[in-house]
Amino acid sequence: MPTYSAPDTTQLAYHVFGEGPPLVCLPGGPMQSSDYLGELGGLSAHRQLIMLDPRGTGGSAVPEDSASYRCDRLVDDVDALRDHLGLDRMDLLGHSGGVNLAALYVGRHPERVDRLALITPSVWAVGIPIPGEVRRETVRPRHDEPWFPEAYAALEAIAEGRATADTWGAITPFSYGRWDEEARAYESAGEAQRNDEAAGVFAGEGAFDPESTREALGRFERRVLLLAGEVDPGAPPATVTEFAGLFPNADLVVQPGAGHFPWRDDPERFVAATEAFLG
């Protein structure tokens, strides 16, 4: 597993899959190791995937300063990776919570990014609200699935401010296009890959300045892909459409039947859409 040194000397790890033009990939969680990304459904057949383990996750060291888990401070880790790889400009992919980091990186270093792919994006960095009704509308087509009543009731409780730890767990099936034994095992493995302490710091006070980030993205003229899962309440298509509108040159793809991990729900469709964009 290759490593490099962050500006504060924390040793960070990354994983390399495939050959071809490099694509730097930022995992979500937030603050989850890149293991759950796998090879992005086979995208490694077309691109060399550079999968970063954020500090304190996977093979990366725990930093001395826990405040360095804050999203805006992680931008320097990404830029140090770009420099370590010898890239003047890189193609960058972010998934879910990692999209916040990708957005802040573009805001600070737009000249160092070529193609930008944002997959089922979190929107904290750009301050787009997601009304409860939008989330409910997104999942209603799944009403015939056996787990739906319990999960939908939990989603309503969250929207109404009545969430508990159990409530959050009950909506997990909505993240998957198919909630089967394979998805359950994948979800369980992902929980073990996340650094909960780091996740609690990631979006802390001062991490985001949505207005300035939105302005910066509006000046980013390179091509951008935003990909949403059709039935994903975490990044509803309506919200991802609004996010796409922040860029002057964005392509929007809504993957049919997909949840929050579209490369798992339909790898062939995901790879085709992503590779068509990356070229």
Side-chain angles (χ1 to χ4, degrees):
M1 181 190 314
T3 62
Y4 70 102
S5 182
D8 66 355
T9 73
T10 301
Q11 291 298 300
L12 303 180
Y14 61 97
H15 309 262
V16 181
F17 301 102
E19 298 180 355
L23 175 65
V24 174
C25 302
L26 307 179
M31 302 308 292
Q32 185 169 334
S33 76
S34 62
D35 287 357
Y36 81 97
L37 294 174
E39 297 187 28
L40 287 173
L43 188 59
S44 56
H46 307 275
R47 301 298 296 259
Q48 182 183 68
L49 306 181
I50 310 294
M51 304 287 200
L52 175 64
D53 282 347
R55 53 179 54 215
T57 75
S60 292
V62 173
E64 293 185 6
D65 180 9
S66 62
S68 67
Y69 289 133
R70 207 173 70 176
C71 185
D72 58 319
R73 295 186 60 177
L74 298 176
V75 170
D76 289 339
D77 291 353
V78 178
D79 200 50
L81 174 58
R82 177 201 57 79
D83 185 62
H84 170 78
L85 296 170
L87 300 174
D88 292 331
R89 178 179 285 165
M90 62 181 169
D91 290 341
L92 186 62
L93 179 148
H95 171 245
S96 188
V99 168
N100 298 294
L101 178 53
L104 295 191
Y105 186 87
V106 170
R108 196 178 302 177
H109 302 295
E111 75 286 357
R112 298 175 186 172
V113 177
D114 193 355
R115 300 291 176 93
L116 177 66
L118 307 179
I119 310 303
T120 57
S122 167
V123 291
W124 294 336
V126 293
I128 298 175
I130 308 179
E133 182 55 27
V134 170
R135 298 190 196 271
R136 292 191 290 266
E137 287 178 358
T138 302
V139 302
R140 281 180 188 136
R142 308 189 71 178
H143 63 88
D144 287 335
E145 302 198 41
W147 47 264
F148 182 87
E150 179 181 359
Y152 190 78
L155 190 63
E156 288 187 312
I158 291 169
E160 295 168 4
R162 298 184 286 106
T164 66
D166 290 341
T167 308
W168 287 104
I171 66 169
T172 300
F174 286 133
S175 294
Y176 296 87
R178 296 179 304 278
W179 184 238
D180 52 19
E181 289 303 318
E182 184 179 347
R184 290 180 174 87
Y186 182 82
E187 176 68 21
S188 179
E191 291 175 358
Q193 297 161 9
R194 188 167 52 248
N195 182 330
D196 290 334
E197 176 192 0
V201 177
F202 180 83
E205 184 177 357
F208 304 123
D209 181 353
E211 183 176 354
S212 64
T213 300
R214 291 163 71 104
E215 290 175 356
L217 299 183
R219 296 189 296 270
F220 184 69
E221 296 185 352
R222 296 277 175 175
R223 288 189 62 203
V224 182
L225 169 69
L226 289 100
L227 190 147
E230 181 185 26
V231 293
D232 177 19
T239 302
V240 179
T241 300
E242 185 174 349
F243 198 162
L246 300 180
F247 296 94
N249 190 16
D251 296 340
L252 173 68
V253 172
V254 178
Q255 183 170 316
H260 204 59
F261 308 96
W263 64 89
R264 294 192 71 261
D265 294 325
D266 190 336
E268 184 175 347
R269 189 184 292 269
F270 173 80
V271 170
T274 308
E275 176 55 19
F277 165 75
L278 292 170

